[in-house]
Amino acid sequence: MSLKVSLIENVSKSHTTIKMEGSVTELTDIKSHFDFPLEKTLIIHCEHVNKINSTGVKRWINFFTDLSKKGHVLIFKALSPLLVEQRNQVTDFLVNGEIYSIMIPFLCKESHCRKEFYIESDLSSILDILDFDADSDFDKFPVSPKCPHCGSDKTEFSDFVEEYFNFVNNLSKNTKAA
Amino acid sequence: MITAKLKNLVNLTSKDESFFNDFVNFFNLAYHNTFGFKKNSIFFLDETTIQHSRVLAQEMPESYCFLLTDKKDIREYVLKYGDYVKGFFIAGEKDTKSKMTILLCALTNKEFKDIYPNSFNAEINFSNQKNGIVEQLEKALGENKHINPRLQNFIINTLDELLLNAIFDAPIEISSKKNLLKNIARDTIFILEKPVYLSIVMGTNFFALSVEDKYGSFDFDTLKKSLLKNPVEQYNVIDDTISQGAGLGISLTFNRGASLAFVSSENNFTKTIAYFPLCDDYKHFKNKERFLLNLLWKN
């Protein structure tokens, strides 16, 4: 699926909320999908951005850098696991945007289910759980939500805490404090 | 021709044994032509434990083995087993828990198509064929409910990156090191001067991609520079001046957990092979053996 950008809300002199979904590659002209006026603050829902290649990463950064230079404030919501991984490896991936929330992957360990699912969690909750100031060293993420497919509570965070939440180490002190 | 044996050095379950058989076959891919085991062949094994490394040194004394590891005490190991280990690189200073279980590999001269008669093979002659092939793979993998969706996505992304590299980065004039397509935007449609060859194999518990260009412009130093980063270390610059590409593809692919092999003959060909154990648990996949194998071939 190629990139799709939908306008969710436009509050005059306040913020614009959009939803991005699909893929970002060398064929994606991101700018051409933004055919509506943008308020100063741009809230970007990214839960369903499910494919981005290295050229797409470059296009993504260039696009959001342009917006940032024009004075827009970027807030990313529900970053998909794919984008979280990109943010973990490419420092500039979200330019100087703020992460409001990310999708956290879990796997249902019930043998008849074994499905992966994603739960949105806001950054402040994540920081509380990770307790970033305490030099915590988790082997396991200490939250296990019910599986939305079978209802089992035998679920587990499906990644390595240190790797998946690596981006937390690069957040500004203000963001952490907030 | 030297044929080495695969030997498992730690406790194996039957499932692991099956995986190891696939691993043997995977290395057959790297040696599918009439290549022998030559002095300048190099193995990189990732996240090797000291215990495993000792056995490696005992079992594989004649190999030319370079360990890529993030263990802090690798220097001690190299000193102790210096007769066996010819060199080493330090990938990072982080002392992570070791999960490595594969240490030796088998090398045979069997043809890829003999081992995997059901492989998908394609010759790519146009730059825009890439996206069609990537979409086909996406569709095929999407029908398999037993493969973790993030792993599926990663495999698709790897194919995309390997094809981008073969189409846009491989065309290099060896003598001047000039990238012939440096200023060509990556959405440009053109006829490739030399075709790119693709093979895809899906076994019961593994997936392998092989992408071959006919330039043989592989630069090991460039690869090494981008790969010798701790997986949690971050990139912070995307260099706009080098080429239309981002220079991230292989690095991100390896850091996300793919096992990679490179077979290259200067001015002749470069084959990149990516290997993935298949499972429904992404964490398990990331926790699996990852390796980097570089087989440089000089004419």
Side-chain angles (χ1 to χ4, degrees):
Chain A
M1 179 190 176
S2 54
L3 182 68
K4 187 179 167 190
V5 179
S6 319
L7 176 64
I8 296 176
E9 186 184 37
N10 210 339
V11 179
S12 182
K13 295 182 180 173
S14 174
H15 65 272
T16 303
T17 305
I18 60 154
K19 185 166 119 181
M20 294 179 81
E21 53 193 318
S23 62
V24 184
T25 70
E26 69 280 1
L27 300 178
T28 312
D29 179 3
I30 303 176
K31 195 175 177 183
S32 70
H33 293 271
F34 283 70
D35 52 357
F36 38 78
L38 299 177
E39 296 299 328
K40 185 177 180 184
T41 300
L42 184 61
I43 302 168
I44 309 133
H45 283 253
C46 307
E47 180 182 353
H48 298 295
V49 176
N50 53 19
K51 183 181 167 193
I52 186 165
N53 66 10
S54 56
T55 315
V57 169
K58 191 173 178 179
R59 290 196 168 210
W60 173 283
I61 292 174
N62 287 342
F63 174 74
F64 285 111
T65 299
D66 281 350
L67 285 184
S68 179
K69 281 180 181 169
K70 285 175 186 168
H72 289 285
V73 175
L74 308 172
I75 298 174
F76 293 92
K77 279 195 81 175
L79 277 185
S80 65
L82 175 72
L83 298 186
V84 171
E85 280 191 285
Q86 294 294 339
R87 171 59 185 82
N88 280 331
Q89 295 201 314
V90 182
T91 314
D92 296 340
F93 184 65
L94 300 181
V95 193
N96 52 8
E98 180 187 319
I99 299 174
Y100 178 81
S101 63
I102 66 169
M103 302 306 294
I104 302 182
F106 292 90
L107 180 73
C108 178
K109 306 292 270 188
E110 202 68 64
S111 58
H112 66 270
C113 185
R114 303 281 304 170
K115 284 184 180 149
E116 190 169 84
F117 60 95
Y118 311 100
I119 301 288
E120 184 178 356
S121 180
D122 60 67
L123 189 62
S124 56
S125 304
I126 292 168
L127 293 176
D128 282 347
I129 293 169
L130 294 178
D131 192 17
F132 66 90
D133 279 334
D135 259 350
S136 300
D137 183 18
F138 289 116
D139 282 334
K140 286 185 176 179
F141 190 64
V143 173
S144 299
K146 271 195 189 307
C147 172
H149 302 289
C150 72
S152 169
D153 53 7
K154 284 172 65 179
T155 62
E156 247 181 44
F157 172 60
S158 178
D159 212 303
F160 292 97
V161 171
E162 190 180 29
E163 290 182 21
Y164 196 78
F165 298 102
N166 183 40
F167 68 90
V168 168
N169 297 319
N170 297 87
L171 296 174
S172 69
K173 287 201 182 298
N174 289 342
T175 308
K176 286 179 178 177
Chain B
M1 184 73 63
I2 294 175
T3 302
K5 291 178 182 176
L6 174 72
K7 290 185 180 179
N8 179 29
L9 308 167
V10 288
N11 300 327
L12 278 184
T13 64
S14 57
K15 191 179 174 186
D16 288 332
E17 280 173 347
S18 171
F19 173 75
F20 270 67
N21 288 335
D22 286 331
F23 188 75
V24 175
N25 290 334
F26 167 64
F27 277 91
N28 289 334
L29 306 186
Y31 276 78
H32 77 108
N33 284 325
T34 55
F35 298 137
F37 189 70
K38 292 191 177 179
K39 278 191 174 182
N40 56 353
S41 298
I42 300 169
F43 294 97
F44 280 102
L45 297 173
D46 187 40
E47 291 196 320
T48 308
T49 64
I50 294 300
Q51 180 195 349
H52 296 157
S53 302
R54 284 187 184 134
V55 188
L56 169 68
Q58 290 162 4
E59 297 287 342
M60 212 172 169
E62 293 177 358
S63 68
Y64 289 79
C65 182
F66 286 67
L67 301 172
L68 177 65
T69 177
D70 51 13
K71 298 293 285 184
K72 280 182 180 172
D73 47 3
I74 187 67
R75 287 171 196 276
E76 282 179 29
Y77 164 72
V78 170
L79 288 174
K80 193 168 183 180
Y81 295 96
D83 288 342
Y84 303 125
V85 180
K86 308 298 179 190
F88 66 96
F89 300 109
I90 301 295
E93 295 301 318
K94 202 168 72 53
D95 189 14
T96 57
K97 291 169 187 166
S98 292
K99 297 133 191 162
M100 187 70 194
T101 52
I102 289 179
L103 291 170
L104 300 182
C105 63
L107 306 170
T108 80
N109 60 350
K110 279 188 181 176
E111 291 276 352
F112 185 21
K113 64 177 185 290
D114 293 338
I115 304 163
Y116 299 114
N118 295 324
S119 62
F120 168 82
N121 301 289
E123 180 178 317
I124 297 170
N125 291 294
F126 297 90
S127 59
N128 62 338
Q129 274 178 270
K130 176 190 79 88
N131 292 306
I133 289 171
V134 170
E135 278 169 22
Q136 277 184 49
L137 177 63
E138 197 170 352
K139 198 174 171 189
L141 283 177
E143 289 167 0
N144 191 326
K145 303 297 177 199
H146 301 293
I147 307 173
N148 177 282
R150 281 193 291 158
L151 178 53
Q152 285 184 23
N153 185 292
F154 181 35
I155 291 171
I156 292 159
N157 185 255
T158 301
L159 174 64
D160 198 326
E161 298 297 347
L162 296 187
L163 289 176
L164 275 174
N165 281 351
I167 292 170
F168 289 95
D169 297 324
I172 286 176
E173 195 179 81
I174 300 285
S175 55
S176 63
K177 293 197 170 181
K178 184 183 167 192
N179 184 337
L180 301 172
L181 300 179
K182 182 180 175 181
N183 297 316
I184 303 292
R186 300 211 161 193
D187 54 358
T188 310
I189 299 173
F190 59 92
I191 300 171
L192 307 190
E193 194 178 307
K194 297 178 182 179
V196 168
Y197 296 94
L198 165 69
S199 290
I200 298 176
V201 172
M202 186 157 84
T204 51
N205 55 2
F206 79 99
F207 192 96
L209 300 168
S210 165
V211 174
E212 180 177 352
D213 69 67
K214 289 297 182 185
Y215 285 89
S217 54
F218 178 82
D219 180 356
F220 181 61
D221 287 337
T222 303
L223 177 77
K224 193 172 69 180
K225 195 175 165 187
S226 62
L227 291 182
L228 288 185
K229 281 177 176 283
N230 189 307
V232 295
E233 187 180 336
Q234 301 203 331
Y235 299 80
N236 54 21
V237 174
I238 291 187
D239 190 342
D240 239 348
T241 61
I242 294 174
S243 72
Q244 293 292 327
L248 288 170
I250 289 291
S251 302
L252 294 184
T253 300
F254 184 66
N255 283 336
R256 283 177 72 189
S259 295
L260 298 172
F262 300 90
V263 189
S264 186
S265 171
E266 196 170 283
N267 257 332
N268 191 6
F269 73 91
T270 297
K271 178 177 280 202
T272 306
I273 302 162
Y275 179 86
F276 311 83
L278 294 179
C279 58
D280 58 9
D281 183 347
Y282 193 67
K283 186 175 182 180
H284 180 69
F285 157 72
K286 285 179 84 172
N287 198 21
K288 269 284 189 182
E289 308 78 7
R290 180 180 54 182
F291 55 86
L292 174 63
L293 173 69
N294 171 38
L295 305 165
L296 290 178
W297 227 259
K298 303 286 183 189
N299 287 320

